[in-house]
Amino acid sequence: MRWGTVALVVFGIIAFVGYMFLPWVVLGLFIYYVARPINQRIGDRIGKGNLSAALTLLLIIVPVVLLLGVFLSIALGQFAAFATSEASGQLLEQSPINVETIPDDPDQLVNTATTTLSDPSVQSVLAEAQAFVGAAASGIFMLFLSLLLGFFLLVEDQRLGQWGRDQILGNDAVSIDYLEAVDRGLNSVFFGYTLTIFVIMILTAIIYNVFNFFAPENLLIPATILLAVVTGLFTLVPLVGRSIIYLGIAALLALGAIQLNPTLVWYPLLFFVFMTLAFDNVVRTYIRPYLSGKMFHLSLVMFAYLLGPILFGWYGIFLGPLLMVIVVQFLQVVVPQLRDEETSSPLDIGQTTLQETDEGLSDPLRGGKAT
């Protein structure tokens, strides 16, 4: 009884620490599951260890940093263009601070700066700026810890798994089956569905901008990046999926073509045919079978991704699928064994069809077709 109390205290401490750092722990797990298949490929060539884990994370981090650098460069370029524009001059003229009255003498400049900084409103702004800088620094540090957790798991995952079997689980076959099922499920969801969504977002953003580059008579697709994000998310919607986005864009382009020149209606038709036949065929034939898993019904994944951020905030996009996997695998693996039955096949309600054929659509037990 005494050691049982000590065990509760120890696990309580671990749970408290995990709860306090829950967003970053979940992010670290996401990084691990996204990086693990890549790490295994690299490990097969150079040997699994610190080097393969570091190279794996670099393959993930460097593209993200480059992408952020591109966006920052674009933002700085736009700011520079604005600073030299007439609008910035008009804004300075309406500013309560007259630039021409700024003193040139160093002593007067120091006195003016001291007086300005002692103003309560300026002090409030400085306090907010300091809080913002502190929050940004804390976020960067926590992100570093998430990367460190992902790196640690990439290096020590097999050793940790073996230690858990030997020291904690022992001969508990139900717990071992359940944890292995959760591990497979998280790999399927995090690496499969999430990576598929991001790949589709990137590819559609490129395609939309290419169409804008060759658009006749300025017949442009608006907000291409936003529409690319929506297209990726609609991959999770059964049956209609991305096609509803293509149709909406084509309808918008067709409306613009009718207003400009009715003979340009061929352009939205070409866009719709290309996206629904050529691009979607690439997604179905190459991207989705290579990346996506087949373990969970598409509707469950969709609700996990949509409800997670609503319930938990920004990290809910990672925590929602994690909780979905934990619950579904418990119902699928543990409950049948507690009833002395064999483990059911993946989701009796029907697993997601990743081949995207018309087979099985008439079966009421099968879920929505993946798009």
Side-chain angles (χ1 to χ4, degrees):
M1 183 66 181
R2 180 178 57 186
W3 286 112
T5 303
V6 173
L8 289 177
V9 172
V10 171
F11 283 107
I13 294 173
I14 296 174
F16 174 76
V17 173
Y19 175 76
M20 295 301 296
F21 296 94
L22 181 61
W24 309 104
V25 172
V26 174
L27 179 58
L29 287 175
F30 171 76
I31 293 173
Y32 164 69
Y33 277 102
V34 169
R36 188 170 71 175
I38 304 174
N39 184 56
Q40 290 174 349
R41 293 289 183 90
I42 297 177
D44 292 339
R45 295 181 177 272
I46 65 174
K48 193 172 183 297
N50 293 349
L51 180 59
S52 64
L55 290 176
T56 300
L57 291 181
L58 284 176
L59 289 175
I60 297 174
I61 296 172
V62 171
V64 173
V65 172
L66 291 176
L67 184 62
L68 291 176
V70 170
F71 277 107
L72 181 60
S73 300
I74 295 174
L76 291 176
Q78 292 177 348
F79 175 77
F82 172 77
T84 57
S85 64
E86 296 181 359
S88 62
Q90 296 175 358
L91 185 63
L92 287 175
E93 291 177 358
Q94 299 175 359
S95 174
I97 300 176
N98 190 354
V99 179
E100 297 179 355
T101 61
I102 296 178
D104 297 330
D105 185 72
D107 294 333
Q108 294 181 358
L109 186 61
V110 172
N111 293 333
T112 303
T114 304
T115 304
T116 303
L117 292 176
S118 62
D119 188 274
S121 60
V122 177
Q123 290 287 337
S124 175
V125 173
L126 290 177
E128 293 178 359
Q130 184 179 5
F132 174 79
V133 172
S138 176
I140 293 174
F141 176 73
M142 299 307 297
L143 179 60
F144 171 75
L145 290 183
S146 297
L147 292 171
L148 194 61
L149 175 61
F151 176 82
F152 171 75
L153 292 176
L154 287 174
V155 175
E156 303 291 344
D157 54 355
Q158 294 182 357
R159 192 176 304 176
L160 284 173
Q162 189 61 44
W163 177 84
R165 291 187 183 92
D166 296 339
Q167 302 296 327
I168 299 178
L169 300 179
N171 296 323
D172 190 351
V174 176
S175 298
I176 293 175
D177 291 343
Y178 173 60
L179 292 178
E180 289 180 347
V182 170
D183 178 70
R184 293 192 301 271
L186 291 177
N187 184 74
S188 173
V189 169
F190 281 156
F191 182 80
Y193 288 103
T194 304
L195 198 58
T196 300
I197 291 172
F198 282 116
V199 168
I200 291 175
M201 286 180 183
I202 295 172
L203 291 179
T204 51
I206 296 173
I207 293 173
Y208 294 163
N209 283 284
V210 169
F211 267 93
N212 278 352
F213 182 78
F214 293 102
E217 296 190 20
N218 205 28
L219 202 61
L220 302 178
I221 300 173
T224 54
I225 302 299
L226 178 61
L227 286 175
V229 172
V230 175
T231 305
L233 293 177
F234 264 67
T235 300
L236 297 174
V237 179
L239 294 180
V240 292
R242 297 179 302 275
S243 298
I244 192 68
I245 305 299
Y246 306 152
L247 182 61
I249 296 174
L252 184 63
L253 292 176
L255 182 62
I258 293 173
Q259 294 175 349
L260 291 174
N261 185 356
T263 59
L264 296 177
V265 175
W266 64 267
Y267 181 70
L269 290 176
L270 174 65
F271 168 82
F272 185 74
V273 170
F274 175 83
M275 297 303 295
T276 54
L277 296 182
F279 177 70
D280 272 3
N281 187 56
V282 171
V283 173
R284 293 166 182 159
T285 306
Y286 299 103
I287 297 177
R288 184 180 291 279
Y290 183 77
L291 297 179
S292 295
K294 303 180 181 180
M295 296 185 64
F296 300 101
H297 191 280
L298 194 65
S299 297
L300 289 176
V301 180
M302 177 185 68
F303 282 115
Y305 275 104
L306 295 180
L307 297 180
I310 297 175
L311 294 175
F312 305 108
W314 67 267
Y315 63 95
I317 195 171
F318 310 119
L319 184 58
L322 187 148
L323 295 178
M324 183 271 293
V325 170
I326 291 175
V327 173
V328 170
Q329 296 296 59
F330 180 83
L331 297 176
Q332 184 174 306
V333 176
V334 177
V335 172
Q337 296 194 42
L338 293 178
R339 297 171 57 186
D340 295 328
E341 298 177 1
E342 294 183 0
T343 302
S344 61
S345 58
L347 282 182
D348 289 339
I349 61 173
Q351 65 188 48
T352 300
T353 304
L354 293 177
Q355 299 301 323
E356 299 197 348
T357 64
D358 294 331
E359 298 176 3
L361 289 181
S362 60
D363 187 350
L365 295 181
R366 297 186 69 87
K369 186 175 68 170
T371 57

PDB file of all heavy atoms in Angstrom, residues 153-171:
ATOM      1  N   LEU A 153      13.231  10.995 -29.103  1.00  0.00           N
ATOM      2  CA  LEU A 153      12.415   9.829 -29.428  1.00  0.00           C
ATOM      3  C   LEU A 153      12.926   9.129 -30.683  1.00  0.00           C
ATOM      4  O   LEU A 153      12.872   7.892 -30.761  1.00  0.00           O
ATOM      5  CB  LEU A 153      10.958  10.252 -29.614  1.00  0.00           C
ATOM      6  CG  LEU A 153      10.229  10.730 -28.353  1.00  0.00           C
ATOM      7  CD1 LEU A 153       8.830  11.216 -28.695  1.00  0.00           C
ATOM      8  CD2 LEU A 153      10.164   9.621 -27.311  1.00  0.00           C
ATOM      9  N   LEU A 154      13.406   9.891 -31.660  1.00  0.00           N
ATOM     10  CA  LEU A 154      13.956   9.265 -32.855  1.00  0.00           C
ATOM     11  C   LEU A 154      15.166   8.402 -32.528  1.00  0.00           C
ATOM     12  O   LEU A 154      15.362   7.335 -33.130  1.00  0.00           O
ATOM     13  CB  LEU A 154      14.347  10.334 -33.877  1.00  0.00           C
ATOM     14  CG  LEU A 154      13.212  11.043 -34.613  1.00  0.00           C
ATOM     15  CD1 LEU A 154      13.766  12.163 -35.479  1.00  0.00           C
ATOM     16  CD2 LEU A 154      12.403  10.070 -35.453  1.00  0.00           C
ATOM     17  N   VAL A 155      15.975   8.843 -31.577  1.00  0.00           N
ATOM     18  CA  VAL A 155      17.193   8.118 -31.238  1.00  0.00           C
ATOM     19  C   VAL A 155      16.903   6.940 -30.312  1.00  0.00           C
ATOM     20  O   VAL A 155      17.463   5.849 -30.467  1.00  0.00           O
ATOM     21  CB  VAL A 155      18.221   9.070 -30.598  1.00  0.00           C
ATOM     22  CG1 VAL A 155      19.454   8.301 -30.119  1.00  0.00           C
ATOM     23  CG2 VAL A 155      18.627  10.151 -31.584  1.00  0.00           C
ATOM     24  N   GLU A 156      16.000   7.143 -29.354  1.00  0.00           N
ATOM     25  CA  GLU A 156      15.820   6.164 -28.278  1.00  0.00           C
ATOM     26  C   GLU A 156      14.491   5.434 -28.320  1.00  0.00           C
ATOM     27  O   GLU A 156      14.134   4.780 -27.335  1.00  0.00           O
ATOM     28  CB  GLU A 156      15.949   6.872 -26.920  1.00  0.00           C
ATOM     29  CG  GLU A 156      17.256   7.616 -26.704  1.00  0.00           C
ATOM     30  CD  GLU A 156      18.443   6.669 -26.569  1.00  0.00           C
ATOM     31  OE1 GLU A 156      18.206   5.466 -26.340  1.00  0.00           O
ATOM     32  OE2 GLU A 156      19.589   7.133 -26.667  1.00  0.00           O
ATOM     33  N   ASP A 157      13.725   5.528 -29.402  1.00  0.00           N
ATOM     34  CA  ASP A 157      12.387   4.943 -29.390  1.00  0.00           C
ATOM     35  C   ASP A 157      12.407   3.434 -29.187  1.00  0.00           C
ATOM     36  O   ASP A 157      11.629   2.885 -28.386  1.00  0.00           O
ATOM     37  CB  ASP A 157      11.634   5.312 -30.667  1.00  0.00           C
ATOM     38  CG  ASP A 157      12.407   4.959 -31.927  1.00  0.00           C
ATOM     39  OD1 ASP A 157      13.561   4.507 -31.815  1.00  0.00           O
ATOM     40  OD2 ASP A 157      11.843   5.123 -33.034  1.00  0.00           O
ATOM     41  N   GLN A 158      13.286   2.738 -29.872  1.00  0.00           N
ATOM     42  CA  GLN A 158      13.332   1.287 -29.724  1.00  0.00           C
ATOM     43  C   GLN A 158      13.776   0.881 -28.318  1.00  0.00           C
ATOM     44  O   GLN A 158      13.218  -0.041 -27.726  1.00  0.00           O
ATOM     45  CB  GLN A 158      14.279   0.691 -30.774  1.00  0.00           C
ATOM     46  CG  GLN A 158      13.785   0.870 -32.199  1.00  0.00           C
ATOM     47  CD  GLN A 158      14.706   0.240 -33.220  1.00  0.00           C
ATOM     48  OE1 GLN A 158      15.756  -0.302 -32.872  1.00  0.00           O
ATOM     49  NE2 GLN A 158      14.341   0.314 -34.493  1.00  0.00           N
ATOM     50  N   ARG A 159      14.759   1.594 -27.780  1.00  0.00           N
ATOM     51  CA  ARG A 159      15.222   1.285 -26.434  1.00  0.00           C
ATOM     52  C   ARG A 159      14.142   1.580 -25.389  1.00  0.00           C
ATOM     53  O   ARG A 159      13.951   0.822 -24.435  1.00  0.00           O
ATOM     54  CB  ARG A 159      16.485   2.099 -26.132  1.00  0.00           C
ATOM     55  CG  ARG A 159      17.231   1.656 -24.887  1.00  0.00           C
ATOM     56  CD  ARG A 159      18.509   2.450 -24.714  1.00  0.00           C
ATOM     57  NE  ARG A 159      19.350   2.346 -25.908  1.00  0.00           N
ATOM     58  CZ  ARG A 159      20.488   3.013 -26.061  1.00  0.00           C
ATOM     59  NH1 ARG A 159      20.894   3.863 -25.120  1.00  0.00           N
ATOM     60  NH2 ARG A 159      21.200   2.848 -27.164  1.00  0.00           N
ATOM     61  N   LEU A 160      13.415   2.693 -25.590  1.00  0.00           N
ATOM     62  CA  LEU A 160      12.328   3.014 -24.663  1.00  0.00           C
ATOM     63  C   LEU A 160      11.210   1.977 -24.749  1.00  0.00           C
ATOM     64  O   LEU A 160      10.635   1.584 -23.728  1.00  0.00           O
ATOM     65  CB  LEU A 160      11.769   4.402 -24.979  1.00  0.00           C
ATOM     66  CG  LEU A 160      12.611   5.601 -24.542  1.00  0.00           C
ATOM     67  CD1 LEU A 160      11.998   6.892 -25.087  1.00  0.00           C
ATOM     68  CD2 LEU A 160      12.704   5.668 -23.027  1.00  0.00           C
ATOM     69  N   GLY A 161      10.898   1.540 -25.974  1.00  0.00           N
ATOM     70  CA  GLY A 161       9.867   0.520 -26.125  1.00  0.00           C
ATOM     71  C   GLY A 161      10.245  -0.783 -25.458  1.00  0.00           C
ATOM     72  O   GLY A 161       9.417  -1.403 -24.776  1.00  0.00           O
ATOM     73  N   GLN A 162      11.486  -1.213 -25.613  1.00  0.00           N
ATOM     74  CA  GLN A 162      11.939  -2.437 -24.976  1.00  0.00           C
ATOM     75  C   GLN A 162      11.958  -2.299 -23.463  1.00  0.00           C
ATOM     76  O   GLN A 162      11.578  -3.216 -22.737  1.00  0.00           O
ATOM     77  CB  GLN A 162      13.342  -2.802 -25.483  1.00  0.00           C
ATOM     78  CG  GLN A 162      13.823  -4.173 -25.039  1.00  0.00           C
ATOM     79  CD  GLN A 162      12.921  -5.287 -25.542  1.00  0.00           C
ATOM     80  OE1 GLN A 162      12.524  -5.281 -26.711  1.00  0.00           O
ATOM     81  NE2 GLN A 162      12.582  -6.238 -24.679  1.00  0.00           N
ATOM     82  N   TRP A 163      12.384  -1.147 -22.964  1.00  0.00           N
ATOM     83  CA  TRP A 163      12.387  -0.910 -21.514  1.00  0.00           C
ATOM     84  C   TRP A 163      10.971  -0.941 -20.958  1.00  0.00           C
ATOM     85  O   TRP A 163      10.725  -1.492 -19.884  1.00  0.00           O
ATOM     86  CB  TRP A 163      13.038   0.436 -21.214  1.00  0.00           C
ATOM     87  CG  TRP A 163      13.026   0.795 -19.754  1.00  0.00           C
ATOM     88  CD1 TRP A 163      13.907   0.407 -18.792  1.00  0.00           C
ATOM     89  CD2 TRP A 163      12.041   1.608 -19.090  1.00  0.00           C
ATOM     90  NE1 TRP A 163      13.551   0.929 -17.577  1.00  0.00           N
ATOM     91  CE2 TRP A 163      12.407   1.681 -17.727  1.00  0.00           C
ATOM     92  CE3 TRP A 163      10.904   2.290 -19.516  1.00  0.00           C
ATOM     93  CZ2 TRP A 163      11.669   2.398 -16.791  1.00  0.00           C
ATOM     94  CZ3 TRP A 163      10.163   3.006 -18.586  1.00  0.00           C
ATOM     95  CH2 TRP A 163      10.546   3.063 -17.248  1.00  0.00           C
ATOM     96  N   GLY A 164      10.020  -0.353 -21.686  1.00  0.00           N
ATOM     97  CA  GLY A 164       8.640  -0.361 -21.222  1.00  0.00           C
ATOM     98  C   GLY A 164       8.071  -1.773 -21.153  1.00  0.00           C
ATOM     99  O   GLY A 164       7.347  -2.114 -20.208  1.00  0.00           O
ATOM    100  N   ARG A 165       8.403  -2.587 -22.150  1.00  0.00           N
ATOM    101  CA  ARG A 165       7.934  -3.976 -22.109  1.00  0.00           C
ATOM    102  C   ARG A 165       8.537  -4.740 -20.940  1.00  0.00           C
ATOM    103  O   ARG A 165       7.845  -5.503 -20.255  1.00  0.00           O
ATOM    104  CB  ARG A 165       8.272  -4.675 -23.419  1.00  0.00           C
ATOM    105  CG  ARG A 165       7.493  -4.199 -24.620  1.00  0.00           C
ATOM    106  CD  ARG A 165       7.781  -5.079 -25.822  1.00  0.00           C
ATOM    107  NE  ARG A 165       7.101  -4.610 -27.019  1.00  0.00           N
ATOM    108  CZ  ARG A 165       7.615  -3.777 -27.905  1.00  0.00           C
ATOM    109  NH1 ARG A 165       8.858  -3.319 -27.719  1.00  0.00           N
ATOM    110  NH2 ARG A 165       6.934  -3.395 -28.956  1.00  0.00           N
ATOM    111  N   ASP A 166       9.824  -4.549 -20.706  1.00  0.00           N
ATOM    112  CA  ASP A 166      10.512  -5.318 -19.671  1.00  0.00           C
ATOM    113  C   ASP A 166      10.166  -4.848 -18.263  1.00  0.00           C
ATOM    114  O   ASP A 166       9.934  -5.666 -17.365  1.00  0.00           O
ATOM    115  CB  ASP A 166      12.032  -5.244 -19.882  1.00  0.00           C
ATOM    116  CG  ASP A 166      12.461  -5.887 -21.192  1.00  0.00           C
ATOM    117  OD1 ASP A 166      11.686  -6.710 -21.719  1.00  0.00           O
ATOM    118  OD2 ASP A 166      13.548  -5.546 -21.678  1.00  0.00           O
ATOM    119  N   GLN A 167      10.126  -3.528 -18.051  1.00  0.00           N
ATOM    120  CA  GLN A 167      10.015  -2.988 -16.702  1.00  0.00           C
ATOM    121  C   GLN A 167       8.598  -2.650 -16.278  1.00  0.00           C
ATOM    122  O   GLN A 167       8.305  -2.625 -15.076  1.00  0.00           O
ATOM    123  CB  GLN A 167      10.881  -1.722 -16.586  1.00  0.00           C
ATOM    124  CG  GLN A 167      12.339  -1.941 -16.901  1.00  0.00           C
ATOM    125  CD  GLN A 167      13.002  -2.889 -15.920  1.00  0.00           C
ATOM    126  OE1 GLN A 167      12.657  -2.929 -14.737  1.00  0.00           O
ATOM    127  NE2 GLN A 167      13.972  -3.659 -16.405  1.00  0.00           N
ATOM    128  N   ILE A 168       7.710  -2.373 -17.234  1.00  0.00           N
ATOM    129  CA  ILE A 168       6.365  -1.910 -16.865  1.00  0.00           C
ATOM    130  C   ILE A 168       5.280  -2.894 -17.292  1.00  0.00           C
ATOM    131  O   ILE A 168       4.470  -3.335 -16.474  1.00  0.00           O
ATOM    132  CB  ILE A 168       6.087  -0.521 -17.484  1.00  0.00           C
ATOM    133  CG1 ILE A 168       7.098   0.498 -16.951  1.00  0.00           C
ATOM    134  CG2 ILE A 168       4.668  -0.066 -17.165  1.00  0.00           C
ATOM    135  CD1 ILE A 168       6.927   1.884 -17.557  1.00  0.00           C
ATOM    136  N   LEU A 169       5.273  -3.262 -18.567  1.00  0.00           N
ATOM    137  CA  LEU A 169       4.174  -4.085 -19.081  1.00  0.00           C
ATOM    138  C   LEU A 169       4.335  -5.554 -18.748  1.00  0.00           C
ATOM    139  O   LEU A 169       3.352  -6.235 -18.450  1.00  0.00           O
ATOM    140  CB  LEU A 169       4.067  -3.895 -20.598  1.00  0.00           C
ATOM    141  CG  LEU A 169       3.794  -2.465 -21.069  1.00  0.00           C
ATOM    142  CD1 LEU A 169       3.731  -2.414 -22.580  1.00  0.00           C
ATOM    143  CD2 LEU A 169       2.507  -1.929 -20.460  1.00  0.00           C
ATOM    144  N   GLY A 170       5.563  -6.050 -18.808  1.00  0.00           N
ATOM    145  CA  GLY A 170       5.783  -7.462 -18.504  1.00  0.00           C
ATOM    146  C   GLY A 170       5.063  -8.367 -19.480  1.00  0.00           C
ATOM    147  O   GLY A 170       5.215  -8.263 -20.699  1.00  0.00           O
ATOM    148  N   ASN A 171       4.240  -9.254 -18.941  1.00  0.00           N
ATOM    149  CA  ASN A 171       3.491 -10.210 -19.767  1.00  0.00           C
ATOM    150  C   ASN A 171       2.060  -9.762 -20.048  1.00  0.00           C
ATOM    151  O   ASN A 171       1.214 -10.586 -20.411  1.00  0.00           O
ATOM    152  CB  ASN A 171       3.473 -11.586 -19.081  1.00  0.00           C
ATOM    153  CG  ASN A 171       4.869 -12.178 -18.955  1.00  0.00           C
ATOM    154  OD1 ASN A 171       5.693 -12.023 -19.852  1.00  0.00           O
ATOM    155  ND2 ASN A 171       5.131 -12.860 -17.837  1.00  0.00           N
TER     156      ASN A 171
END
